[in-house]
Amino acid sequence: MTEKALKTVTLGCKVNQYETELVREGLVTAGYRDASDDETADLCVVNTCTVTNEGDAKSRQVIRRLARDNPDSRIVVMGCYATRAPEELAALPNVVEVVENKREIPDLLGRFGVIDVPSGLSTFGDRHRAYVKVQDGCLLRCTFCIIPTVRPEMYSRPAEDIVSEVARLADNGFREIVLTGIHLGHFGVDLNKGKPKEEWVRLAHLVRQLAKLDGDFRVRMSSIEATEVTRELIDVMGEFPDRVCPHLHISMQSGSDAVLRRMRRRWGAQRFVDRCKLLKESLDQPAISTDIIVGFPGETDAEFEETCAVSREVGFSKIHIFPFSPRKGTPAAEMPDHIPGDVKSDRRRRLAEVETETREIYFRSLVGKRLAVLGEAAETDAAGRTIVRGTACRYAPVSFEAPASAVGNLTAVEVQTAESELLRAAAT
């Protein structure tokens, strides 16, 4: 069987990265291999993002560049942009197929010669952590977000498929498994329809199953909503502190009740704070990270200050800050009182200062604490020592002296000093 060269490009979220790997793994079984950097490809797969207008533009640029650099290639386009505007993408050079629905991936692979379509991953490229998609679809209607219109169908993967996939990835050397989905906290919602509550399966049940697996690996959850930080989920995290990372990324978006109402979020700021307090009271110094949009239409100075105050109260270890960008097709894009760009930039800078403040407080609280660190890179310093950089269970960057073999593995360390953006530690 003559091998054919393959190039894949992924834009956007962890779910997209997972789905690209699934397609790639299937194509490898049909005789494809990764093209080298200076080699033209026979087949290119582009997984697109449509969260912002810029995501659309970047997707088109990638496709045109691939067509130019690989003139004889066939290009397959998938992802949220492909779902939203398939005709636009089909008209681009070398595009032979546009996958409008991710549920069509098995059929796509079959058309390219894949006989046994993988039900899950065995590897995740050359990375040290692997993403595992557990569900798809979002039922929310936040006014700033286009994704529910392109991924409206709720679908949870069978738990047994996820468990076997995680076990396989752990056996193949992946020491961190990140559970991801379009709305991770809604895992199981579709499976529970028509069943009595005592038979429901939710995210906490899945995490418990994964925590009981054998192997040297840990589980981290990607973004979750505040209402889904349940006592059951916190209990599982507390019961398996060495297996389930004491870190949650809880999406806040704003600390102002008025802005949250305009965003059509499902709770007020105090409820968000209360869930974070419950998490911190129940677990040993958990890390809490979040997403915040600054400059949402109509956001006043006072409303922005409310966001800063809530951020300080929660004590986020990381804030992903996004200046509001109007997305055509969403209600927020049509709202009045859009905020000038210079005001959004100033608020982004000021919130970044708050993030630095809260992160430093949290990092200092970890001095003297033992952490598990996934080694990700190693370099030799001026004294000839091998210094490993990695990510702690509490989602903090850590450097420590260790053999290069620590890269790709979990190492127990004790934090010695905390800098603004880095913990320095010693292996124990």
Side-chain angles (χ1 to χ4, degrees), residues 65 115 147 172 214 278 309 312 342-343 348 363 412 424:
R65 187 184 72 243
I115 297 172
I147 297 305
N172 289 340
D214 295 328
L278 177 62
R312 290 189 176 97
D342 60 336
V343 176
R348 182 177 191 172
F363 278 13
R424 297 193 183 275

Side-chain angles (χ1 to χ4, degrees), residues 2 13 273 350:
T2 303
C13 65
V273 170
R350 288 159 60 194

Side-chain angles (χ1 to χ4, degrees), residues 23-203:
V23 169
R24 177 188 165 277
E25 190 163 317
L27 290 170
V28 167
T29 69
Y32 286 85
R33 59 171 176 78
D34 293 323
S36 58
D37 291 340
D38 57 353
E39 181 182 14
T40 58
D42 299 290
L43 176 65
C44 301
V45 177
V46 181
N47 203 343
T48 62
C49 177
T50 196
V51 167
T52 63
N53 298 325
E54 291 77 12
D56 287 354
K58 190 170 183 180
S59 297
R60 293 191 298 269
Q61 291 168 4
V62 165
I63 293 166
R64 290 191 177 101
R65 187 184 72 243
L66 286 171
R68 184 179 64 249
D69 296 344
N70 305 270
D72 297 324
S73 68
R74 295 183 294 170
I75 299 179
V76 173
V77 185
M78 54 192 284
C80 291
Y81 187 8
T83 299
R84 189 186 63 79
E87 302 84 2
E88 290 180 18
L89 296 171
L92 295 177
N94 289 29
V95 172
V96 297
E97 187 147 5
V98 178
V99 181
E100 297 182 37
N101 189 325
K102 294 293 182 71
R103 302 290 286 273
E104 298 172 8
I105 287 177
D107 293 337
L108 166 75
L109 291 173
R111 290 193 291 275
F112 282 87
V114 179
I115 297 172
D116 295 319
V117 176
S119 61
L121 297 177
S122 301
T123 185
F124 211 86
D126 57 358
R127 306 184 189 203
H128 305 302
R129 61 170 53 80
Y131 303 146
V132 171
K133 173 186 168 182
V134 305
Q135 70 81 231
D136 205 333
C138 182
L139 299 176
L140 303 185
R141 290 295 181 267
C142 300
T143 57
F144 54 81
C145 187
I146 194 74
I147 297 305
T149 67
V150 294
R151 288 187 184 254
E153 183 182 1
M154 289 292 297
Y155 169 72
S156 300
R157 294 177 62 202
E160 56 269 26
D161 288 355
I162 300 167
V163 171
S164 62
E165 181 178 24
V166 169
R168 185 166 59 247
L169 287 164
D171 287 345
N172 289 340
F174 292 89
R175 297 294 172 245
E176 181 172 301
I177 308 297
V178 182
L179 304 183
T180 189
I182 298 300
H183 189 148
L184 178 63
H186 270 179
F187 171 80
V189 168
D190 54 309
L191 303 177
N192 298 332
K193 289 181 179 178
K195 295 182 179 179
K197 192 167 185 178
E198 58 271 17
E199 296 180 15
W200 283 7
V201 174
R202 295 303 305 268
L203 182 60

Side-chain angles (χ1 to χ4, degrees), residues 379-387:
E379 60 184 15
T380 303
D381 68 5
R385 301 174 301 174
T386 300
I387 304 299

Side-chain angles (χ1 to χ4, degrees), residues 81-388:
Y81 187 8
T83 299
R84 189 186 63 79
E87 302 84 2
E88 290 180 18
L89 296 171
L92 295 177
N94 289 29
V95 172
V96 297
E97 187 147 5
V98 178
V99 181
E100 297 182 37
N101 189 325
K102 294 293 182 71
R103 302 290 286 273
E104 298 172 8
I105 287 177
D107 293 337
L108 166 75
L109 291 173
R111 290 193 291 275
F112 282 87
V114 179
I115 297 172
D116 295 319
V117 176
S119 61
L121 297 177
S122 301
T123 185
F124 211 86
D126 57 358
R127 306 184 189 203
H128 305 302
R129 61 170 53 80
Y131 303 146
V132 171
K133 173 186 168 182
V134 305
Q135 70 81 231
D136 205 333
C138 182
L139 299 176
L140 303 185
R141 290 295 181 267
C142 300
T143 57
F144 54 81
C145 187
I146 194 74
I147 297 305
T149 67
V150 294
R151 288 187 184 254
E153 183 182 1
M154 289 292 297
Y155 169 72
S156 300
R157 294 177 62 202
E160 56 269 26
D161 288 355
I162 300 167
V163 171
S164 62
E165 181 178 24
V166 169
R168 185 166 59 247
L169 287 164
D171 287 345
N172 289 340
F174 292 89
R175 297 294 172 245
E176 181 172 301
I177 308 297
V178 182
L179 304 183
T180 189
I182 298 300
H183 189 148
L184 178 63
H186 270 179
F187 171 80
V189 168
D190 54 309
L191 303 177
N192 298 332
K193 289 181 179 178
K195 295 182 179 179
K197 192 167 185 178
E198 58 271 17
E199 296 180 15
W200 283 7
V201 174
R202 295 303 305 268
L203 182 60
H205 299 92
L206 175 64
V207 174
R208 182 179 296 278
Q209 286 183 267
L210 298 177
K212 292 180 178 179
L213 288 172
D214 295 328
D216 182 22
F217 74 100
R218 67 191 186 194
V219 174
R220 189 185 301 276
M221 285 168 274
S222 63
S223 183
I224 194 171
E225 299 287 354
T227 53
E228 293 141 14
V229 183
T230 62
R231 291 185 182 275
E232 291 79 8
L233 184 61
I234 294 173
D235 287 346
V236 173
M237 296 175 72
E239 186 178 344
F240 300 94
D242 296 327
R243 176 53 58 84
V244 184
C245 291
H247 162 236
L248 285 179
H249 183 86
I250 311 173
S251 186
M252 184 172 81
Q253 305 301 358
S254 175
S256 163
D257 286 346
V259 174
L260 290 169
R261 284 192 294 271
R262 294 199 295 276
M263 289 179 168
R264 209 180 294 157
R265 301 288 279 167
R266 295 183 296 164
W267 51 83
Q270 188 58 52
R271 188 173 183 186
F272 185 96
V273 170
D274 289 345
R275 289 299 173 103
C276 292
K277 284 182 177 178
L278 177 62
L279 185 69
K280 294 166 81 170
E281 290 167 356
S282 304
L283 302 180
D284 179 21
Q285 291 177 278
I288 303 174
S289 53
T290 197
D291 302 314
I292 293 176
I293 296 172
V294 296
F296 192 78
E299 182 185 61
T300 65
D301 288 339
E303 289 167 348
F304 171 71
E305 290 299 337
E306 289 176 330
T307 294
C308 293
V310 171
S311 298
R312 290 189 176 97
E313 184 174 3
V314 172
F316 294 118
S317 63
K318 175 71 177 177
I319 303 175
H320 297 277
I321 306 169
F322 302 94
F324 174 76
S325 175
R327 184 65 181 92
K328 184 178 180 181
T330 64
E334 307 301 323
M335 288 181 177
D337 302 322
H338 280 241
I339 307 301
D342 60 336
V343 176
K344 287 191 285 188
S345 296
D346 181 63
R347 289 177 183 172
R348 182 177 191 172
R349 177 189 59 78
R350 288 159 60 194
L351 186 58
E353 292 174 354
V354 174
E355 181 207 14
T356 297
E357 173 190 325
T358 58
R359 181 180 63 244
E360 289 179 351
I361 292 171
Y362 180 69
F363 278 13
R364 287 197 297 269
S365 76
L366 298 178
V367 173
K369 192 163 191 65
R370 286 171 59 91
L371 305 176
V373 179
L374 176 64
E376 295 167 297
E379 60 184 15
T380 303
D381 68 5
R385 301 174 301 174
T386 300
I387 304 299
V388 175

